[in-house]
Amino acid sequence: MGTATVTSTDTHYLHHIHAGRFDLDTDEHKTLGGQGQAPAPFDYYLASLAACTAITLRMYAERKGWNLGEFRAELALSFDDDGKVHVHRTLHSDQPLSDEQWTRLLEIVANTPVTKAMREGAVITSERGG
């Protein structure tokens, strides 16, 4: 379904990513020893969830004939004392949606494909290349 390749550079922690047909960069924040020249891996983690949130809710709203107008999802990531990741998502629309519509949107957003993958985990394997 998707592919990504990451290649190092001669700049400490800056890497080039080729994802699908797109080129991106990643780096670590300066506080973690990077140069802060590009989004950090957890920034992309949140961006992935935010993108899936927006796209899924837009698709659902269009099927229902609901006008979301300008939709925004704000996500924040934190770690608890045990190191477990917590993500909080706040949804906004500049359109007057009813309580029933918001209830349904919150139900839908709890089950987006990326939400489910992050919540339920993934099988990740690794091997040595040539």
Side-chain angles (χ1 to χ4, degrees):
M1 183 167 157
T3 61
T5 303
V6 64
T7 306
S8 62
T9 69
D10 59 0
T11 303
H12 198 64
Y13 298 143
L14 178 66
H15 286 73
H16 300 304
I17 301 169
H18 186 76
R21 57 187 177 103
F22 300 98
D23 293 317
L24 313 160
D25 286 334
T26 189
D27 195 359
E28 274 297 351
H29 297 279
K30 288 184 177 185
T31 57
L32 295 176
Q35 303 302 306
Q37 294 181 1
F42 272 115
D43 296 331
Y44 282 117
Y45 181 86
L46 285 179
S48 172
L49 182 57
C52 188
T53 296
I55 291 168
T56 300
L57 291 185
R58 178 72 60 191
M59 287 176 172
Y60 181 80
E62 285 176 357
R63 281 196 299 272
K64 291 293 192 178
W66 298 351
N67 179 10
L68 290 183
E70 182 179 287
F71 175 82
R72 188 172 80 253
E74 298 172 351
L75 285 78
L77 183 142
S78 62
F79 295 90
D80 65 20
D81 292 339
D82 295 326
K84 185 167 177 69
V85 174
H86 292 261
V87 176
H88 182 74
R89 182 170 38 194
T90 304
L91 309 178
H92 303 270
S93 172
D94 68 356
Q95 296 301 301
L97 299 172
S98 70
D99 288 342
E100 293 80 18
Q101 287 172 310
W102 275 115
T103 296
R104 187 63 183 136
L105 290 174
L106 290 169
E107 290 170 355
I108 296 297
V109 81
N111 292 296
T112 70
V114 173
T115 300
K116 289 170 81 171
M118 289 178 174
R119 183 179 60 237
E120 296 169 9
V123 175
I124 300 172
T125 60
S126 303
E127 67 180 56
R128 177 182 171 178

